[in-house]
Amino acid sequence: MKKFITGLLAGKKVAIMGFGREGRSSYRLLRNYMPEQKLYILDSNPTISEDAELTSDSHVELQVGPSMTDQLGTFDIILKAPGVPARLFPENFDTGRITSQTDLFLRHYGNQVIGVTGTKGKSTTSSLIHHILASSGFHTMLVGNIGLPPFEAIGDITPGSRIVMELSSHQLQFISRSPHIAILLNIFQEHLDHYGSYEEYQQAKLNIGRYQQKNDYFLYSEDNSLLQSLLAGEKSGGHRLLPYSLTDKPENGVFRRERKVFLHTDSGIREIMDATAGIPIPGEHNFSNAMVAAAACYLAGASEEQINRGVQSFKG
């Protein structure tokens, strides 16, 4: 990761926009990798000018309060925190300059990531995937919108780690690499204060699968009518689209037959979860979440037995 970050940022005029928990973790990682790199910290809160960690750093320049956006056009790269609204950027701003901790993390570790997004259910689904994998003996961690900022997990990642990321629309808006296993649960008309339109929010969510590579997997709910229309005729760049549904259907994807869950791919149909005895989290919406969690874990290497055991021991 150090080689990747230093190669990308060395000699560039770099700003960290938003100095909350994620912004601070971005600052610490960059400062650790590049002790003498000039960094600019942009934040609407003027009190960060009294932050001891920043005032002791002679290679930091602060732009705080209303003036934080005055020089956006002068930066080569801006690491935007999720809580910073995209509407703060001018309409004609070159968004190619905007990146984020999520984007940089996915660009380096994307082939190890199971990413989950959706207006509703993403915390439950992410937590269930993490629980199944951890209880099955996999080295796994939970980062992103739930758990740790991604950069804080870097020291624990091994080549065999399965990284579960809960991803908000804010985190997805300016990415250029999607997770190896991407899950889009649903889209509803919420959280629109951050966006110029409902369509902009939808497009941010769709980024979870938009930048996948060959042999990646994109699982999405076929029971959500909006997703059906948005993804109708979707052309992949080699990734595999796997719709999932509570209905019994023979097409490729994940489906329920009575209380059992099956994964149908080009290699055939495989039972991946037996919920005949029920599951600990009630409701059809949670059964749907458990279905896609089971499929993601199976694609990540878990067996049907491990999945069943993990689902049954999940506390919610």
Side-chain angles (χ1 to χ4, degrees), residues 50-87:
E50 302 166 11
D51 186 286
E53 190 170 16
L54 297 179
T55 56
S56 63
D57 188 341
S58 61
H59 299 293
V60 159
E61 182 174 317
L62 303 181
Q63 296 178 9
V64 298
S67 64
M68 68 174 283
T69 58
D70 288 355
Q71 299 181 40
L72 290 179
T74 69
F75 298 108
D76 299 311
I77 296 177
I78 300 172
L79 273 78
K80 188 186 82 65
V84 176
R87 54 182 165 75

mmCIF file of all heavy atoms in Angstrom, residues 50-87:
data_model
loop_
_atom_site.group_PDB
_atom_site.id
_atom_site.type_symbol
_atom_site.label_atom_id
_atom_site.label_comp_id
_atom_site.label_asym_id
_atom_site.label_seq_id
_atom_site.Cartn_x
_atom_site.Cartn_y
_atom_site.Cartn_z
ATOM 1 N N GLU A 50 -6.760 24.551 16.176
ATOM 2 C CA GLU A 50 -6.179 24.406 17.509
ATOM 3 C C GLU A 50 -5.814 22.944 17.801
ATOM 4 O O GLU A 50 -5.376 22.620 18.899
ATOM 5 C CB GLU A 50 -7.175 24.905 18.564
ATOM 6 C CG GLU A 50 -7.590 26.358 18.350
ATOM 7 C CD GLU A 50 -8.806 26.731 19.185
ATOM 8 O OE1 GLU A 50 -9.184 25.930 20.079
ATOM 9 O OE2 GLU A 50 -9.379 27.804 18.956
ATOM 10 N N ASP A 51 -6.003 22.071 16.831
ATOM 11 C CA ASP A 51 -5.723 20.647 17.023
ATOM 12 C C ASP A 51 -4.219 20.441 17.175
ATOM 13 O O ASP A 51 -3.428 20.806 16.302
ATOM 14 C CB ASP A 51 -6.239 19.856 15.817
ATOM 15 C CG ASP A 51 -6.114 18.357 15.998
ATOM 16 O OD1 ASP A 51 -4.984 17.840 15.909
ATOM 17 O OD2 ASP A 51 -7.145 17.700 16.232
ATOM 18 N N ALA A 52 -3.813 19.837 18.298
ATOM 19 C CA ALA A 52 -2.386 19.708 18.615
ATOM 20 C C ALA A 52 -1.636 18.880 17.579
ATOM 21 O O ALA A 52 -0.474 19.167 17.264
ATOM 22 C CB ALA A 52 -2.225 19.082 19.999
ATOM 23 N N GLU A 53 -2.298 17.854 17.045
ATOM 24 C CA GLU A 53 -1.641 16.995 16.053
ATOM 25 C C GLU A 53 -1.300 17.781 14.793
ATOM 26 O O GLU A 53 -0.269 17.553 14.161
ATOM 27 C CB GLU A 53 -2.546 15.812 15.724
ATOM 28 C CG GLU A 53 -1.872 14.730 14.894
ATOM 29 C CD GLU A 53 -2.722 13.471 14.799
ATOM 30 O OE1 GLU A 53 -3.927 13.518 15.096
ATOM 31 O OE2 GLU A 53 -2.160 12.425 14.414
ATOM 32 N N LEU A 54 -2.157 18.718 14.426
ATOM 33 C CA LEU A 54 -1.930 19.515 13.223
ATOM 34 C C LEU A 54 -0.989 20.690 13.473
ATOM 35 O O LEU A 54 -0.141 20.998 12.636
ATOM 36 C CB LEU A 54 -3.271 20.019 12.677
ATOM 37 C CG LEU A 54 -4.260 18.938 12.222
ATOM 38 C CD1 LEU A 54 -5.553 19.580 11.721
ATOM 39 C CD2 LEU A 54 -3.658 18.062 11.143
ATOM 40 N N THR A 55 -1.139 21.345 14.616
ATOM 41 C CA THR A 55 -0.294 22.523 14.886
ATOM 42 C C THR A 55 1.167 22.138 15.066
ATOM 43 O O THR A 55 2.058 22.969 14.862
ATOM 44 C CB THR A 55 -0.790 23.272 16.135
ATOM 45 O OG1 THR A 55 -0.829 22.360 17.253
ATOM 46 C CG2 THR A 55 -2.179 23.839 15.905
ATOM 47 N N SER A 56 1.431 20.876 15.413
ATOM 48 C CA SER A 56 2.820 20.434 15.577
ATOM 49 C C SER A 56 3.446 19.965 14.270
ATOM 50 O O SER A 56 4.619 19.585 14.234
ATOM 51 C CB SER A 56 2.892 19.300 16.609
ATOM 52 O OG SER A 56 2.173 18.167 16.158
ATOM 53 N N ASP A 57 2.694 19.982 13.192
ATOM 54 C CA ASP A 57 3.164 19.504 11.891
ATOM 55 C C ASP A 57 3.485 20.705 11.012
ATOM 56 O O ASP A 57 2.593 21.412 10.541
ATOM 57 C CB ASP A 57 2.077 18.633 11.239
ATOM 58 C CG ASP A 57 2.558 17.947 9.966
ATOM 59 O OD1 ASP A 57 3.567 18.396 9.377
ATOM 60 O OD2 ASP A 57 1.909 16.967 9.543
ATOM 61 N N SER A 58 4.751 20.916 10.756
ATOM 62 C CA SER A 58 5.179 22.083 9.970
ATOM 63 C C SER A 58 4.900 21.927 8.483
ATOM 64 O O SER A 58 5.060 22.884 7.721
ATOM 65 C CB SER A 58 6.675 22.343 10.184
ATOM 66 O OG SER A 58 7.446 21.218 9.763
ATOM 67 N N HIS A 59 4.482 20.728 8.056
ATOM 68 C CA HIS A 59 4.204 20.482 6.645
ATOM 69 C C HIS A 59 2.705 20.453 6.346
ATOM 70 O O HIS A 59 2.275 19.892 5.337
ATOM 71 C CB HIS A 59 4.845 19.164 6.202
ATOM 72 C CG HIS A 59 6.335 19.138 6.351
ATOM 73 N ND1 HIS A 59 7.185 19.928 5.596
ATOM 74 C CD2 HIS A 59 7.129 18.427 7.200
ATOM 75 C CE1 HIS A 59 8.432 19.694 5.959
ATOM 76 N NE2 HIS A 59 8.421 18.793 6.924
ATOM 77 N N VAL A 60 1.919 21.056 7.229
ATOM 78 C CA VAL A 60 0.468 21.122 7.046
ATOM 79 C C VAL A 60 0.036 22.573 6.910
ATOM 80 O O VAL A 60 0.534 23.457 7.608
ATOM 81 C CB VAL A 60 -0.273 20.471 8.241
ATOM 82 C CG1 VAL A 60 -1.710 20.954 8.336
ATOM 83 C CG2 VAL A 60 -0.285 18.967 8.104
ATOM 84 N N GLU A 61 -0.904 22.800 5.998
ATOM 85 C CA GLU A 61 -1.548 24.115 5.878
ATOM 86 C C GLU A 61 -3.053 23.911 6.009
ATOM 87 O O GLU A 61 -3.625 23.032 5.356
ATOM 88 C CB GLU A 61 -1.217 24.775 4.543
ATOM 89 C CG GLU A 61 -1.837 26.165 4.402
ATOM 90 C CD GLU A 61 -1.396 26.876 3.130
ATOM 91 O OE1 GLU A 61 -0.185 26.819 2.810
ATOM 92 O OE2 GLU A 61 -2.260 27.480 2.453
ATOM 93 N N LEU A 62 -3.684 24.714 6.852
ATOM 94 C CA LEU A 62 -5.116 24.586 7.106
ATOM 95 C C LEU A 62 -5.902 25.628 6.323
ATOM 96 O O LEU A 62 -5.484 26.790 6.211
ATOM 97 C CB LEU A 62 -5.406 24.767 8.599
ATOM 98 C CG LEU A 62 -4.686 23.826 9.561
ATOM 99 C CD1 LEU A 62 -5.108 24.120 11.003
ATOM 100 C CD2 LEU A 62 -4.961 22.375 9.235
ATOM 101 N N GLN A 63 -7.019 25.199 5.790
ATOM 102 C CA GLN A 63 -7.985 26.109 5.170
ATOM 103 C C GLN A 63 -9.331 25.759 5.788
ATOM 104 O O GLN A 63 -9.916 24.723 5.463
ATOM 105 C CB GLN A 63 -7.989 25.946 3.654
ATOM 106 C CG GLN A 63 -6.657 26.339 3.022
ATOM 107 C CD GLN A 63 -6.610 26.154 1.517
ATOM 108 O OE1 GLN A 63 -7.614 25.893 0.885
ATOM 109 N NE2 GLN A 63 -5.417 26.297 0.958
ATOM 110 N N VAL A 64 -9.793 26.602 6.708
ATOM 111 C CA VAL A 64 -10.951 26.253 7.537
ATOM 112 C C VAL A 64 -12.042 27.316 7.427
ATOM 113 O O VAL A 64 -11.809 28.438 6.955
ATOM 114 C CB VAL A 64 -10.535 26.070 9.012
ATOM 115 C CG1 VAL A 64 -9.539 24.931 9.143
ATOM 116 C CG2 VAL A 64 -9.952 27.357 9.586
ATOM 117 N N GLY A 65 -13.235 26.923 7.880
ATOM 118 C CA GLY A 65 -14.367 27.835 7.853
ATOM 119 C C GLY A 65 -14.880 28.054 6.437
ATOM 120 O O GLY A 65 -14.684 27.213 5.548
ATOM 121 N N PRO A 66 -15.533 29.178 6.191
ATOM 122 C CA PRO A 66 -16.129 29.439 4.871
ATOM 123 C C PRO A 66 -15.125 29.435 3.724
ATOM 124 O O PRO A 66 -15.485 29.210 2.569
ATOM 125 C CB PRO A 66 -16.752 30.833 5.047
ATOM 126 C CG PRO A 66 -16.964 30.980 6.523
ATOM 127 C CD PRO A 66 -15.837 30.241 7.167
ATOM 128 N N SER A 67 -13.842 29.673 4.035
ATOM 129 C CA SER A 67 -12.825 29.745 2.979
ATOM 130 C C SER A 67 -12.294 28.372 2.565
ATOM 131 O O SER A 67 -11.415 28.287 1.704
ATOM 132 C CB SER A 67 -11.653 30.610 3.434
ATOM 133 O OG SER A 67 -11.000 30.017 4.550
ATOM 134 N N MET A 68 -12.834 27.287 3.149
ATOM 135 C CA MET A 68 -12.276 25.963 2.872
ATOM 136 C C MET A 68 -12.376 25.574 1.399
ATOM 137 O O MET A 68 -11.588 24.762 0.911
ATOM 138 C CB MET A 68 -12.970 24.898 3.724
ATOM 139 C CG MET A 68 -14.424 24.647 3.380
ATOM 140 S SD MET A 68 -15.171 23.261 4.281
ATOM 141 C CE MET A 68 -14.516 21.859 3.399
ATOM 142 N N THR A 69 -13.321 26.152 0.674
ATOM 143 C CA THR A 69 -13.505 25.781 -0.735
ATOM 144 C C THR A 69 -12.900 26.805 -1.699
ATOM 145 O O THR A 69 -13.028 26.638 -2.909
ATOM 146 C CB THR A 69 -15.003 25.630 -1.049
ATOM 147 O OG1 THR A 69 -15.678 26.862 -0.761
ATOM 148 C CG2 THR A 69 -15.628 24.515 -0.219
ATOM 149 N N ASP A 70 -12.232 27.825 -1.183
ATOM 150 C CA ASP A 70 -11.755 28.907 -2.044
ATOM 151 C C ASP A 70 -10.723 28.462 -3.069
ATOM 152 O O ASP A 70 -10.643 29.022 -4.165
ATOM 153 C CB ASP A 70 -11.167 30.045 -1.193
ATOM 154 C CG ASP A 70 -12.236 30.837 -0.460
ATOM 155 O OD1 ASP A 70 -13.436 30.563 -0.696
ATOM 156 O OD2 ASP A 70 -11.880 31.712 0.346
ATOM 157 N N GLN A 71 -9.898 27.465 -2.736
ATOM 158 C CA GLN A 71 -8.792 27.085 -3.616
ATOM 159 C C GLN A 71 -8.918 25.658 -4.155
ATOM 160 O O GLN A 71 -7.919 25.028 -4.501
ATOM 161 C CB GLN A 71 -7.465 27.241 -2.869
ATOM 162 C CG GLN A 71 -7.179 28.667 -2.417
ATOM 163 C CD GLN A 71 -5.841 28.782 -1.715
ATOM 164 O OE1 GLN A 71 -4.855 28.161 -2.122
ATOM 165 N NE2 GLN A 71 -5.786 29.576 -0.656
ATOM 166 N N LEU A 72 -10.142 25.139 -4.249
ATOM 167 C CA LEU A 72 -10.318 23.755 -4.691
ATOM 168 C C LEU A 72 -9.666 23.489 -6.040
ATOM 169 O O LEU A 72 -9.117 22.413 -6.287
ATOM 170 C CB LEU A 72 -11.812 23.409 -4.766
ATOM 171 C CG LEU A 72 -12.561 23.303 -3.436
ATOM 172 C CD1 LEU A 72 -14.029 22.978 -3.685
ATOM 173 C CD2 LEU A 72 -11.927 22.236 -2.544
ATOM 174 N N GLY A 73 -9.717 24.474 -6.926
ATOM 175 C CA GLY A 73 -9.177 24.288 -8.266
ATOM 176 C C GLY A 73 -7.672 24.220 -8.330
ATOM 177 O O GLY A 73 -7.111 23.867 -9.381
ATOM 178 N N THR A 74 -6.980 24.515 -7.232
ATOM 179 C CA THR A 74 -5.510 24.516 -7.244
ATOM 180 C C THR A 74 -4.911 23.168 -6.859
ATOM 181 O O THR A 74 -3.709 22.979 -6.987
ATOM 182 C CB THR A 74 -4.953 25.584 -6.286
ATOM 183 O OG1 THR A 74 -5.224 25.195 -4.923
ATOM 184 C CG2 THR A 74 -5.580 26.944 -6.558
ATOM 185 N N PHE A 75 -5.756 22.232 -6.388
ATOM 186 C CA PHE A 75 -5.221 20.948 -5.906
ATOM 187 C C PHE A 75 -5.176 19.908 -7.021
ATOM 188 O O PHE A 75 -6.073 19.831 -7.862
ATOM 189 C CB PHE A 75 -6.060 20.428 -4.738
ATOM 190 C CG PHE A 75 -6.044 21.323 -3.544
ATOM 191 C CD1 PHE A 75 -7.160 22.067 -3.203
ATOM 192 C CD2 PHE A 75 -4.898 21.454 -2.771
ATOM 193 C CE1 PHE A 75 -7.145 22.914 -2.109
ATOM 194 C CE2 PHE A 75 -4.870 22.298 -1.681
ATOM 195 C CZ PHE A 75 -5.994 23.035 -1.344
ATOM 196 N N ASP A 76 -4.114 19.094 -6.985
ATOM 197 C CA ASP A 76 -4.018 17.985 -7.936
ATOM 198 C C ASP A 76 -4.912 16.822 -7.513
ATOM 199 O O ASP A 76 -5.521 16.161 -8.354
ATOM 200 C CB ASP A 76 -2.566 17.492 -8.024
ATOM 201 C CG ASP A 76 -1.618 18.576 -8.504
ATOM 202 O OD1 ASP A 76 -1.935 19.218 -9.521
ATOM 203 O OD2 ASP A 76 -0.578 18.769 -7.859
ATOM 204 N N ILE A 77 -4.968 16.574 -6.205
ATOM 205 C CA ILE A 77 -5.750 15.463 -5.663
ATOM 206 C C ILE A 77 -6.434 15.921 -4.382
ATOM 207 O O ILE A 77 -5.798 16.523 -3.507
ATOM 208 C CB ILE A 77 -4.865 14.232 -5.373
ATOM 209 C CG1 ILE A 77 -4.265 13.684 -6.669
ATOM 210 C CG2 ILE A 77 -5.670 13.132 -4.666
ATOM 211 C CD1 ILE A 77 -3.314 12.519 -6.483
ATOM 212 N N ILE A 78 -7.729 15.610 -4.259
ATOM 213 C CA ILE A 78 -8.497 15.922 -3.054
ATOM 214 C C ILE A 78 -9.055 14.623 -2.496
ATOM 215 O O ILE A 78 -9.826 13.936 -3.173
ATOM 216 C CB ILE A 78 -9.650 16.898 -3.351
ATOM 217 C CG1 ILE A 78 -9.106 18.214 -3.906
ATOM 218 C CG2 ILE A 78 -10.493 17.149 -2.101
ATOM 219 C CD1 ILE A 78 -10.185 19.160 -4.414
ATOM 220 N N LEU A 79 -8.666 14.273 -1.266
ATOM 221 C CA LEU A 79 -9.252 13.127 -0.576
ATOM 222 C C LEU A 79 -10.469 13.625 0.186
ATOM 223 O O LEU A 79 -10.345 14.288 1.216
ATOM 224 C CB LEU A 79 -8.255 12.491 0.405
ATOM 225 C CG LEU A 79 -7.323 11.428 -0.152
ATOM 226 C CD1 LEU A 79 -6.185 12.093 -0.936
ATOM 227 C CD2 LEU A 79 -6.735 10.590 0.970
ATOM 228 N N LYS A 80 -11.645 13.322 -0.343
ATOM 229 C CA LYS A 80 -12.888 13.825 0.242
ATOM 230 C C LYS A 80 -13.435 12.822 1.254
ATOM 231 O O LYS A 80 -13.572 11.646 0.955
ATOM 232 C CB LYS A 80 -13.934 14.080 -0.851
ATOM 233 C CG LYS A 80 -15.189 14.772 -0.352
ATOM 234 C CD LYS A 80 -16.247 14.862 -1.433
ATOM 235 C CE LYS A 80 -17.039 13.599 -1.560
ATOM 236 N NZ LYS A 80 -17.872 13.263 -0.363
ATOM 237 N N ALA A 81 -13.762 13.294 2.452
ATOM 238 C CA ALA A 81 -14.408 12.446 3.450
ATOM 239 C C ALA A 81 -15.876 12.245 3.078
ATOM 240 O O ALA A 81 -16.476 13.093 2.414
ATOM 241 C CB ALA A 81 -14.289 13.081 4.830
ATOM 242 N N PRO A 82 -16.495 11.127 3.497
ATOM 243 C CA PRO A 82 -17.878 10.839 3.093
ATOM 244 C C PRO A 82 -18.885 11.902 3.505
ATOM 245 O O PRO A 82 -19.859 12.145 2.801
ATOM 246 C CB PRO A 82 -18.182 9.512 3.813
ATOM 247 C CG PRO A 82 -16.878 8.906 4.101
ATOM 248 C CD PRO A 82 -15.918 10.034 4.297
ATOM 249 N N GLY A 83 -18.638 12.561 4.645
ATOM 250 C CA GLY A 83 -19.608 13.538 5.130
ATOM 251 C C GLY A 83 -19.577 14.871 4.425
ATOM 252 O O GLY A 83 -20.432 15.735 4.679
ATOM 253 N N VAL A 84 -18.627 15.068 3.525
ATOM 254 C CA VAL A 84 -18.530 16.338 2.800
ATOM 255 C C VAL A 84 -19.440 16.280 1.578
ATOM 256 O O VAL A 84 -19.223 15.453 0.692
ATOM 257 C CB VAL A 84 -17.078 16.616 2.356
ATOM 258 C CG1 VAL A 84 -17.010 17.886 1.528
ATOM 259 C CG2 VAL A 84 -16.162 16.706 3.575
ATOM 260 N N PRO A 85 -20.471 17.125 1.500
ATOM 261 C CA PRO A 85 -21.403 17.053 0.360
ATOM 262 C C PRO A 85 -20.718 17.375 -0.964
ATOM 263 O O PRO A 85 -19.919 18.315 -1.054
ATOM 264 C CB PRO A 85 -22.456 18.121 0.698
ATOM 265 C CG PRO A 85 -22.304 18.385 2.157
ATOM 266 C CD PRO A 85 -20.861 18.152 2.477
ATOM 267 N N ALA A 86 -21.034 16.605 -1.978
ATOM 268 C CA ALA A 86 -20.455 16.842 -3.306
ATOM 269 C C ALA A 86 -20.896 18.182 -3.873
ATOM 270 O O ALA A 86 -20.218 18.739 -4.738
ATOM 271 C CB ALA A 86 -20.863 15.717 -4.249
ATOM 272 N N ARG A 87 -22.023 18.717 -3.384
ATOM 273 C CA ARG A 87 -22.514 20.005 -3.901
ATOM 274 C C ARG A 87 -21.578 21.167 -3.558
ATOM 275 O O ARG A 87 -21.752 22.276 -4.093
ATOM 276 C CB ARG A 87 -23.915 20.292 -3.374
ATOM 277 C CG ARG A 87 -24.064 20.227 -1.884
ATOM 278 C CD ARG A 87 -25.509 20.470 -1.438
ATOM 279 N NE ARG A 87 -25.752 20.073 -0.069
ATOM 280 C CZ ARG A 87 -25.346 20.742 1.000
ATOM 281 N NH1 ARG A 87 -24.688 21.888 0.841
ATOM 282 N NH2 ARG A 87 -25.598 20.300 2.219
#
